[in-house]
Amino acid sequence: MSDNIESTLTETRHFAPSAEFTENARLKPADLEALHQKAEADYEGFWCDLAREKIDWQTEFTQGLDESKAPHYQWFADGRMNVSYNCIDRHLEVRGNKTAIVFEAENGDTRHLTYRDLYNEVGKLANALKGMGVVKGDRVIIYMPMNAEAVIAMQACARIGAIHSVVFGGFSADALRDRVVDSGSKVVITADGGERGGKVVGLKANVDKALDSNPGDVEKVVVCKRAGNDVTMHADRDVWWEDAVDGESVDCEPEWVEAEHPLFLLYTSGSTGKPKGIQHSSAGYLLGAIVTNEWVFDLQGDDVYWCTADVGWITGHTYVAYGPLAVGATQVVYEGTPTVPDAGRWWKMCQDHGVTVFYTAPTAIRALMKAGPDLPKQYDLSKLRLLGTVGEPINPEAWMWYYTTVGEERCPIVDTWWQTETGANMIAPIPGATTLVPGSCTQALPGIAADVVDEDGKSLGADEGGYLVIKKPWPHMLRTVWGDDQRYKDTYWPKFGGKYYLAGDSARRDSEGNFWIMGRIDDVLNVSGHRMGTMEVESALVAHKAVAEAAVVGRPHDVKGEAIVAFVILQGDRLTGDEAEEMVKELRNWVADQIGPIAKPDDIRFADGLPKTRSGKIMRRLLRSIAKGEEITSDTSTLENEAVIPQLQGKA
Ligand code: PRX
């Protein structure tokens, strides 16, 4: 990825919004300026006014920001509301018959759900969950394909105040079990299987595997019929979704929860230990989802929005399951791969459904650009008016292709920087007001105090690289790490006297004040826009009986951003030739079983030892150079075991 950064350092192209876009945009330059001024003059009042305007409250709040438990900040704490009510019920009168979700399956089957349909489906499932004894505060795991039912399940939990934790359908049974146990979930909602690339992924079978060895607190498993594959149903535990909702009323009175009531947990990787359950609030989170969908995606009445993210990631929470519904938009949901039957699938879908606002990740753009650079031209993309990206810095080449070939030089691109922890976009262009520079996420949104600082917390000048921090608590920030307040403090507030939120990214600002994200400061990899802790992959590798020690690093990859390279020391002798090849295959599959296919190392190298200093510390910087295939020019004579270097380089 650093190569991309290098090329963006010299980027000078600027793209100002067209007069036509600005004319029709929700926020014009003067509106944006006014928002910034208001946020600066009265930070708390700014957010409180928005919270009153954008959210329907059952009980109005009187408190804005409460810092008494810092860094566990609270917002609007004495107010009561319900997220599902705000996403569905409040639209029924004016747009009950408007399409909320257009669902398309990989085989082309399409289904439209109106806001009224959504109300009915969510109400029935919410009542069924209540019937199973799920009450406010109980945790529910959702392990589903990317279909409308996944969104319905999330909304049903929100409706009754249950805290959902969505586990990406690509994660393995082991990863699922860890999350079931850590969250203490009572119910798992899953499907028989999901379809991807024409193959069926046995989701229910994975749930069985996870629960058979350690059921944790799980009492019930709800199974949605989707792929039609054979599954085993456990008599007292498992129930088909359609049987569970049969006879249930569509009306389910929302549980009016406190603003701070946890809406969901979402597990994400860090540099140490197992993934942590990032805990988000109800009202503050929803406010972030609403304002960013309005400001950054400019969502308006007749837009057809499509965010391609899976609900297993934060983007699929804020820009699929909650935000677009809260603002009453029509959105596309697709279960399948972007290359079936060919790399024009997404562009065909944009044409067929008249998509106007499209949001995806740089890795997908690069893959589709490689697989079919001219395919967008075969489709009528004239309805598109705005494009977005998220997950990693976008290299200028991919940006330009997205801009010219997909967006036909008409659509602004919003490059949105944010994280699982931040809940919603934090640094991003406002499409009717901001001048775009390829590779930069441009400027902080109104009410977001982002800055780049040095080791002492001092703001840095133009083009000086440092820590990306947020200097004031914001409504949609994480509240804690589930069950581990200490880890929350240690991870996000370890510096600067505990006053600034440490994002874990390094960044710089240019002379125009635009932010450029330079990469992680910790051992977190960004593989196809997904976070992966090097330690997680290392732990998975050393859990294999043949492995004595392992070190994992990233190396730049043209499509995925970063690829995973593992240096492995086996028990016994180093393997070579066919035996080594067999072991590489076995270890890759092993990691896929332990975590999921996205964590499979791209490259595994065997050696007799890892390069260590005489005090026993693994020289990760050296491993990174080796992984990139760079010549080793630094002095390695201080290493305890210099002889392993040529082995790791594949030269001995
Ligand atoms: O390193 C940054 C990168 O992705 C990290 C957050 O990952 P995750 O929590 O999985 O959320 C991804 C989707 C919000 C960040 O710390 N990142 C995210 N967006 C960008 C980015 N890097 C550069 N530019 C972006 N637009």
Side-chain angles (χ1 to χ4, degrees), residues 1-3 525-527 552-558 560-567 601-605 623-630:
M1 208 156 17
S2 54
D3 294 350
L525 306 178
N526 190 329
V527 182
V552 166
V553 298
R555 92 168 129 72
H557 185 280
D558 324 342
K560 299 202 254 188
E562 268 185 298
I564 302 178
V565 182
F567 297 97
D602 295 84
D603 199 354
I604 297 184
R605 314 234 184 124
L623 288 177
R624 276 187 217 113
S625 295
I626 294 173
K628 280 193 216 161
E630 290 173 354

Side-chain angles (χ1 to χ4, degrees), residues 1 268-269 313-315 319 359 362 389-394 414-422 424-425 427 439-441 468 503-506 516-520 524 526 529-532:
M1 208 156 17
T268 192
S269 301
W313 311 110
I314 190 69
T315 313
Y319 300 99
Y359 188 28
T389 81
V390 59
E392 56 177 309
I394 180 164
V414 288
D415 175 348
T416 59
W417 177 86
W418 61 297
Q419 311 176 289
T420 305
E421 292 87 341
T422 68
N425 298 166
I427 308 179
S440 165
C441 49
L468 179 60
D505 283 346
S506 58
W516 297 80
I517 307 299
M518 296 158 71
R520 297 286 307 186
V524 172
N526 190 329
H530 300 314
R531 261 160 79 164
M532 190 70 55

Side-chain angles (χ1 to χ4, degrees), residues 363-377:
T363 183
I365 298 167
R366 288 192 296 262
L368 296 180
M369 174 174 83
K370 267 198 159 174
D374 294 322
L375 284 176
K377 295 188 187 137

Side-chain angles (χ1 to χ4, degrees), residues 270-271 520-525 532-535 552 620 624:
S271 50
R520 297 286 307 186
I521 54 171
D522 52 18
D523 290 325
V524 172
L525 306 178
M532 190 70 55
T534 51
M535 239 191 72
V552 166
R620 285 182 178 274
R624 276 187 217 113

